[in-house]
């Protein structure tokens, strides 16, 4: 369960950053991304997949969350 | 020499790898690459931030160097104790040329070396008592210090001293910030982890000191300069540009910086990151905790400076945006004159770089402004995200080398035959003896500043005076030059 720092890039895309792994990738798609449900499976720019426990309301970005590697 | 094609560059890498035994060859192959601008992500072509191979000459430093030397050292009004044996601090003392104003030994301490000078008995019985005594002595001898950081050298972690406990007790006693930093040299694969540890120590022990204290009057134009170590005055020549465009620079991290500035940083509106590698961690933390956005900028060479100034300004209102244009306009005559003077002398010259974690990509623009071309670049301790940012800056089919070994670097230079090599002190004399013009790109070869418009003029002059120095023509012994051998033949 890596700790993931999420932040918005200037172009509005979400960046997925794991310091320990030197991983800085864009989030290409997210399972739930509505005002009342956020999270689920995400696919990163390099094709790898992670899972955020769905939350409601969506977290305030930037933030650090736990993600599961799929 | 004409630009190398992709095939030629690949062949060169293979040729250089030939000497290694099988296992080493496989390992090193992953760190050498031919640049391909079409790639979005660097991990497809190059591996970085891995342990160096035993047996080869690496140019890396240790975590202590990253923390004490890079991040903490330049904070001028704190005393940074090199905790452990005397050598680590003494041999690196004042080598980085972080300029500062102040009276050394009275209210600033940048170029001094404070150490607990471990002896055998400290290793056997532990050094905590000595550390406590040392802190008391510092308070008596240097009462104007604003805080103390304890920079652990290797033995501290090995013998299991509890420096945190000492720091807490002494902090209470003296009422000053005392920061224990667990940056023992053996941690991680290079100085890079030391930067991270140092950032974390600032986060945990300093950054929140003024949370909830609103007595510091802020303006909508407050920024902090992060990751500028004021080498040869770099931060000063950057700061003036920011101030001229209407911003207020509240803090400099950490060149010519003070602990008060660091404590005030959570109150700024925007963090400006120059050295991304060594300080992105704290910027990310402040973004999360204090909602301060951060951007990377580049103050090497007029093209990148103008780009950066506009980018910074885009985060503020029209007055600042107009300010940025005014600054660019104002310096235009100056930098155009610099280019007019030096470009004809430097046009087409080819450069190979090998520096730390930022400059291998950041200085490319400055060389290009002078009509030069960077044909090979590499980092000592970069991570993936740095190479991601490098691919687009470098030309296609140029060489990328990560944690290059002494042997590889020499061979590359022999084959590529650049007109200039830019790297560190350990590489300098090898290349100078090989007859290749060399500039030290860590501490600017006793020159600088290189940041900002003022810095660019000095940069251009330095490159010219190195490359076009008449000494390179006299490199061959007189009797070995062509003219001489013709003369000898004529006589014979
Ligand atoms: S590796 Fe250890 S002993 Fe060597 S300089 Fe770094 S802290 Fe000192």
């Amino acid at each position: 369960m890596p700790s993931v720092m999420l932040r918005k890039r200037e172009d509005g895309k979400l960046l997925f950053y794991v310091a320990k792994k030197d991983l800085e990738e864009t989030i290409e798609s997210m399972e739930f991304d509505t005002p009342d449900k956020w999270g689920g499976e995400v696919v990163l720019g390099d094709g790898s997949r992670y899972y955020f426990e769905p939350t409601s309301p969506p977290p305030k970005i930037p933030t650090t969350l736990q993600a599961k590697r799929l | 020499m004409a630009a190398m094609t992709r095939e030629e560059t690949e062949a060169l890498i293979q040729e250089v790898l030939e000497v290694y035994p099988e296992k080493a060859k496989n390992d090193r192959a992953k760190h050498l690459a031919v640049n391909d601008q079409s790639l979005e992500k660097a991990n497809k072509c190059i591996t970085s931030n891995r342990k160096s191979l035993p047996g080869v000459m690496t140019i890396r430093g240790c975590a202590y160097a990253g923390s004490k030397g890079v991040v903490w050292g330049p904070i001028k009004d704190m005393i940074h104790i090199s905790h452990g044996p005397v050598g680590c601090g003494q041999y690196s003392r004042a080598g980085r040329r972080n300029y500062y104003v102040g009276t050394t030994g009275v209210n600033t301490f940048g170029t001094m070396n404070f150490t607990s000078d471990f002896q055998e008995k400290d290793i056997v019985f532990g050094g905590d008592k000595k550390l406590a005594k040392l802190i008391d002595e510092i308070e008596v001898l240097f009462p104007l210090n604003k805080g103390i950081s304890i920079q652990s050298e290797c033995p501290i972690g090995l013998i299991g001293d509890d420096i945190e406990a000492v720091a807490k007790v002494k902090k209470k006693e003296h009422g000053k910030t005392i920061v224990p930093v667990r940056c023992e040299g053996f941690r991680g694969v290079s100085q890079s982890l030391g930067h991270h540890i140092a950032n974390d120590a600032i986060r945990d022990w300093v950054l929140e000191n003024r949370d909830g204290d609103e007595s510091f009057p802020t303006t909508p134009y407050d920024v902090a300069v992060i990751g500028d170590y004021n080498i040869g005055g770099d931060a000063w020549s950057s700061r003036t540009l920011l101030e001229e465009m209407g911003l207020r620079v509240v803090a400099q991290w950490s060149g010519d910086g003070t602990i008060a500035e660091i404590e005030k940083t959570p109150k700024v509106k925007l963090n400006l990151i120059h050295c991304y590698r060594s300080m992105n961690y704290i910027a990310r933390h402040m973004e999360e905790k204090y909602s301060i956005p951060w951007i990377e900028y580049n103050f090497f060479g007029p093209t990148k400076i103008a780009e950066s100034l506009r980018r910074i300004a885009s985060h503020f209102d029209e007055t600042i945006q107009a300010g940025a244009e005014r600054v660019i306009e104002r310096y235009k005559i100056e930098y155009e004159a610099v280019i007019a003077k030096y470009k004809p002398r430097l046009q087409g010259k080819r450069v190979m770089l090998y520096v730390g974690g930022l400059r291998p990509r950041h200085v490319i623009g400055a060389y290009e402004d002078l009509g030069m071309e960077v044909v090979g670049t590499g980092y000592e301790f970069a991570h993936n995200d740095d190479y991601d940012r490098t691919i687009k800056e470098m030309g296609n089919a140029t060489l990328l080398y990560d944690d290059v070994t002494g042997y590889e670097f020499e061979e590359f230079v022999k084959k590529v035959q650049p007109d200039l090599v830019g790297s560190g002190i350990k590489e300098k004399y090898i290349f100078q003896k090989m007859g290749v013009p060399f500039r030290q790109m860590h501490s600017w070869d006793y020159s600088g500043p290189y940041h900002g418009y003022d810095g660019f003029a000095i940069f251009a002059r330095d490159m010219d005076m190195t490359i076009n120095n008449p000494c390179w023509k006299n490199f061959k012994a007189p009797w070995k030059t062509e003219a001489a051998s013709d003369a000898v033949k004529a006589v014979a």
Side-chain angles (χ1 to χ4, degrees), chain B residues 61-65 85 87-89 152-155 183-186:
Chain B
C62 68
Y64 159 84
C88 312
S152 312
E153 295 164 5
C154 285
C183 55
E184 287 89 348
F186 56 76

Side-chain angles (χ1 to χ4, degrees), chain A residues 5 7 10 22 24 64, chain B residues 41 284 287-288 311 383:
Chain A
M5 264 187 153
R7 67 184 292 257
E10 270 157 54
D22 280 344
E24 191 185 39
T64 301
Chain B
K41 284 283 162 185
R284 288 175 195 275
E287 178 174 47
E288 206 178 306
R311 217 160 135 228
H383 299 202

Side-chain angles (χ1 to χ4, degrees), chain B residues 182-219:
Chain B
R182 283 287 178 182
C183 55
E184 287 89 348
F186 56 76
R187 292 184 200 274
V189 298
S190 65
Q191 54 267 63
S192 183
L193 188 68
H195 305 142
H196 198 159
I197 293 169
N199 277 234
D200 289 355
I202 294 181
R203 176 194 69 196
D204 295 341
W205 296 81
V206 185
L207 207 59
E208 348 174 285
N209 282 4
R210 292 190 64 168
D211 282 9
D213 166 3
E214 301 303 327
S215 60
F216 176 65
T218 58
T219 76

Side-chain angles (χ1 to χ4, degrees), chain B residues 400-417:
Chain B
L400 295 179
Y401 29 82
D402 177 68
D403 185 23
V404 78
T405 68
Y407 159 76
E408 288 162 11
F409 199 16
E410 251 182 82
E411 291 303 304
F412 285 151
V413 169
K414 274 185 209 156
K415 295 283 157 45
V416 178
Q417 297 185 343

Side-chain angles (χ1 to χ4, degrees), chain B residues 407-480:
Chain B
Y407 159 76
E408 288 162 11
F409 199 16
E410 251 182 82
E411 291 303 304
F412 285 151
V413 169
K414 274 185 209 156
K415 295 283 157 45
V416 178
Q417 297 185 343
D419 300 291
L420 178 75
V421 172
S423 191
I425 191 77
K426 300 187 226 64
E427 296 78 76
K428 177 172 178 165
Y429 299 100
I430 299 165
F431 292 118
Q432 288 195 337
K433 284 176 188 171
M434 279 162 66
V436 184
F438 185 97
R439 283 303 299 187
Q440 225 228 87
M441 293 303 279
H442 287 271
S443 63
W444 308 146
D445 243 339
Y446 318 105
S447 177
Y450 284 179
H451 290 180
Y453 290 117
D454 293 344
F456 177 65
I458 298 168
F459 174 83
R461 180 206 63 191
D462 285 357
M463 297 308 138
D464 173 51
M465 115 185 145
T466 304
I467 294 178
N468 295 317
N469 195 306
C471 75
W472 306 115
K473 291 200 197 78
N474 299 326
F475 218 76
K476 267 197 180 144
W479 57 93
K480 282 191 175 155

